């Protein structure tokens, strides 16, 4: 068997991610897909898909499954032993990052996806400075593919991300929501609709969104064509729609932040864009706590937190 920790994916050259390694360790402990998945706050089916993908990447069966039981294979036992060592090293890196005092050892690194807190930035920044007047906030750009891992791996201290439910290793503080819209070409028959349904978009060609997170892909819906280029930034979605003639979904606020004369933003049924402050689970540094408190205060002050 190839060294599972170092092996690239045999189905596309991608390297396994830390989250999936944690899934495999949990499954080795529980020997039950449902229980293991619940420990990571995801459904059993996507949990199992992650494990199967990892088995393909390392080129070995790590678990034997029957309708009644799950058993770890000898290869799986060796692999899990290696993974425990790797995860211990990763967690040690996280701990070192958590010990870095932002007030005296550098700015608080704030990762932002898309329009982030929208027009609430002034209030959010002010609420942070009310608690820690000397704090310095440093902007870092996130993208659709790495928004969660960048926070989870400690590359930023807090992130303004799209909240699509619980994600392993992260905690969330909601800030605002923006109603769901379909982004369609201005020449489309749907461009002048007052409102669309999921059925109206069912047979459309979709823009591919760059993310391996099942919850985010489920939020987007639709099915991009195989091999379609993937969009990594929310700001690029309207341009991708205009160029390709395909469709996608966004938050209604995109019409203000990313307007184009050749696309339309049409209200569509489905879940809104939920924006939240994300932090690593258990991160209780004072500046991180202050940012979370500021997010909660801004949401309370703006009522529903609705951004249109």
């Amino acid at each position: 068997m190839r060294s599972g920790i170092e092996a690239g994916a045999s189905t596309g050259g991608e390297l396994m991610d830390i989250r999936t390694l944690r899934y495999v360790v949990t499954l080795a402990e529980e020997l039950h897909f449902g229980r293991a998945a619940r420990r990571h706050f995801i459904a059993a089916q996507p949990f199992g898909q992650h494990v199967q993908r990892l088995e393909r990447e390392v080129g070995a069966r790590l678990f034997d499954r029957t309708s009644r039981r799950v058993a770890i294979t000898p290869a799986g036992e060796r692999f899990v032993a290696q993974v425990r060592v790797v995860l211990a090293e990763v967690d040690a890196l996280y701990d070192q990052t958590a010990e870095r005092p932002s007030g005296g050892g550098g700015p608080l690194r704030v990762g932002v996806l898309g329009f982030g807190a929208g027009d609430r930035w002034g209030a959010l920044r002010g609420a942070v400075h009310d608690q820690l007047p000397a704090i310095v906030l440093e902007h870092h750009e996130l993208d659709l593919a790495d928004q969660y891992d960048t926070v989870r791996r400690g590359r930023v201290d807090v992130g303004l991300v799209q909240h699509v439910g619980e994600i392993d290793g992260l905690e969330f503080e909601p800030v605002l929501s923006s109603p769901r819209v379909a982004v369609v070409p201005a020449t489309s028959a749907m461009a002048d609709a007052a409102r669309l349904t999921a059925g109206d978009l069912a047979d459309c060609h979709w823009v591919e969104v760059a993310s391996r997170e099942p919850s985010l892909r489920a939020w987007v819906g639709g099915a991009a064509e195989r091999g379609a280029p993937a969009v990594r930034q929310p700001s690029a979605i309207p341009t991708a729609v205009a160029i390709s003639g395909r469709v996608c979904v966004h938050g209604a606020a995109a019409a203000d932040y990313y307007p184009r004369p050749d696309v339309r933003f049409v209200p569509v049924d489905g879940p809104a864009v939920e924006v939240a402050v994300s932090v690593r689970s258990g991160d209780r540094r004072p500046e991180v706590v202050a940012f979370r408190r500021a997010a909660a205060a801004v949401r309370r002050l703006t009522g529903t937190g609705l951004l249109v």
Side-chain angles (χ1 to χ4, degrees):
M1 182 182 74
R2 293 179 298 168
S3 174
I5 310 303
E6 300 174 352
S10 60
T11 58
E14 297 175 348
L15 292 175
M16 64 192 71
D17 59 86
I18 295 297
R19 174 181 55 179
T20 303
L21 296 180
R22 295 189 190 278
Y23 289 175
V24 168
V25 171
T26 302
L27 184 57
E29 293 170 352
E30 295 287 351
L31 295 178
H32 187 281
F33 278 90
R35 289 195 299 270
R38 284 194 292 273
R39 282 177 55 179
H40 292 275
F41 304 101
I42 69 169
Q45 182 175 4
F47 181 94
Q49 291 170 347
H50 278 281
V51 174
Q52 290 173 351
R53 187 182 302 119
L54 181 61
E55 288 179 321
R56 292 196 297 270
E57 290 177 2
V58 301
R61 179 175 287 278
L62 305 178
F63 298 92
D64 286 326
R65 299 94 154 157
T66 69
S67 59
R68 293 190 174 186
R69 62 188 294 270
V70 176
I72 190 168
T73 66
E77 290 179 348
R78 293 192 297 272
F79 184 80
V80 168
Q82 294 179 44
V83 169
R84 291 185 189 278
V85 174
V86 170
L87 291 180
E89 294 174 351
V90 170
D91 290 339
L93 289 174
Y94 284 170
D95 291 341
Q96 291 172 18
T97 301
E99 292 168 1
R100 182 180 65 84
S102 292
L108 184 73
R109 300 163 299 172
V110 182
V112 182
L113 175 73
F115 51 71
D119 61 3
R120 315 289 200 270
W121 274 115
L124 181 59
R125 187 174 60 252
V128 175
H129 281 108
D130 285 345
Q131 300 171 76
L132 299 173
I135 195 170
V136 175
L137 304 182
E138 181 179 270
H139 170 265
H140 290 256
E141 187 174 57
L142 303 180
D143 67 34
L144 289 160
D146 70 8
Q147 57 178 317
Y148 308 116
D149 279 342
T150 299
V151 180
R152 187 160 38 207
R153 294 174 181 175
R155 294 173 182 167
V156 297
D157 301 302
V158 299
L160 271 292
V161 303
Q162 184 170 351
H163 185 210
V164 289
E166 297 300 322
I167 293 178
D168 183 45
L170 296 178
E171 298 174 10
F172 297 92
E173 191 70 51
V175 180
L176 56 83
S177 63
S178 183
R180 185 183 185 92
V181 295
V183 188
V184 303
T187 55
S188 166
M190 298 180 290
D192 296 324
R195 188 172 191 86
L196 297 171
T197 68
D200 295 326
L201 302 174
D203 295 327
C204 294
H205 298 293
W206 284 69
V207 168
E208 171 74 349
V209 172
S211 177
R212 296 177 66 182
E213 176 55 48
S215 298
L216 181 59
R217 299 191 68 85
W219 180 89
V220 173
E225 293 181 359
R226 193 174 187 83
V231 171
R232 297 183 68 92
Q233 289 292 342
S235 59
I237 289 175
T239 301
V241 169
I243 292 173
S244 67
R246 298 176 181 176
V247 304
C248 200
V249 291
H250 218 310
D256 293 324
Y257 289 97
Y258 318 125
R260 288 188 61 98
D262 44 9
V263 302
R264 299 289 183 268
F265 300 86
V266 184
V268 63
D269 295 343
V273 170
E274 301 288 341
V275 177
V277 170
S278 63
V279 304
R280 288 187 297 111
S281 295
D283 191 343
R284 298 295 182 264
R285 287 175 291 160
E287 57 275 17
V288 172
V289 172
F291 206 97
R292 293 188 64 174
R293 287 175 177 166
V298 167
R299 187 172 181 88
R300 288 195 300 270
L301 288 173
T302 56
T304 63
L306 188 65
L307 181 66
V308 295

